[in-house]
Amino acid sequence: MSHPEFPEQPPVPRELSRIPIIPLWGQLIVPLQGDITDAQAAQLCSDVLRDIQRTGARGMVVDISGLWLVDSHLCAVLARLAGSARLMGTRTVLCGMGADVALTLQSMGIQLEGVETALGLEEGLALLGIRAVGARTVESEREAAQNLADEMLGLSPVATGTSRSPVS
């Protein structure tokens, strides 16, 4: 039994193969997903640098958590992109790197000089000074934990200006 031949697919239009560059509060977010071809990487560099010039972005987060493969060529492209962005006054943070990718890059001796790293997008944006309004800081987390502990122990709240003592 033979399978019918599938018609050849038309080439993907150039606009659809482009990697999105998302402007957000004076920063750029560049989510990389799947397998990045050499042509897409080259186009990405020119698009990002054009957008930096157009928007005056102060920072850029490149999220690689969706990549299937990070090879030495892509690392070299990201390093060149970060270096070029730095020359234009834009900080680059690379986020979403998995343990296997980090080990591979380390074993190959690949250095990403001038590129800051973060575990995730939120931490990457925080490195650039972007935080959600009302987001808890380390200090507010500690204060909330202390208030909860005081409440559980039956101690009076600190906000009243009294010392912590058991409530009668």
Side-chain angles (χ1 to χ4, degrees):
M1 179 172 176
S2 65
H3 295 287
E5 292 292 320
F6 292 104
E8 190 173 313
Q9 296 294 322
V12 177
R14 187 174 176 198
E15 299 80 34
L16 296 179
S17 67
R18 282 196 165 158
I19 297 167
I21 303 167
I22 305 162
L24 179 72
W25 300 314
Q27 317 298 320
L28 296 177
I29 299 174
V30 182
L32 301 180
Q33 297 180 351
D35 188 23
I36 307 296
T37 66
D38 291 349
Q40 284 177 308
Q43 185 65 51
L44 174 68
C45 287
S46 64
D47 288 349
V48 165
L49 296 175
R50 183 199 69 236
D51 282 1
I52 288 173
Q53 184 177 19
R54 184 178 53 80
T55 66
R58 298 178 311 277
M60 169 176 57
V61 178
V62 179
D63 184 352
I64 65 169
S65 61
L67 286 179
W68 296 335
L69 174 70
V70 179
D71 61 9
S72 58
H73 178 261
L74 183 56
C75 284
V77 168
L78 294 175
R80 279 194 312 272
L81 176 60
S84 298
R86 187 174 50 253
L87 287 172
M88 296 176 75
T90 302
R91 286 174 57 191
T92 300
V93 177
L94 183 67
C95 73
M97 184 181 306
D100 55 340
V101 173
L103 287 170
T104 301
L105 297 180
Q106 182 66 31
S107 68
M108 292 188 323
I110 295 176
Q111 300 290 321
L112 295 173
E113 294 189 27
V115 178
E116 297 175 81
T117 57
L119 288 176
L121 180 59
E122 189 174 333
E123 183 183 339
L125 288 170
L127 283 173
L128 296 175
I130 304 297
R131 286 186 173 71
V133 174
R136 290 190 159 187
T137 63
V138 173
E139 295 81 22
S140 67
E141 289 285 340
R142 282 191 192 122
E143 184 179 337
Q146 184 64 54
N147 289 340
L148 178 61
D150 287 350
E151 183 179 322
M152 293 174 74
L153 294 171
L155 300 176
S156 63
V158 177
T160 61
T162 61
S163 64
R164 291 184 185 164
S165 59
V167 177
S168 343

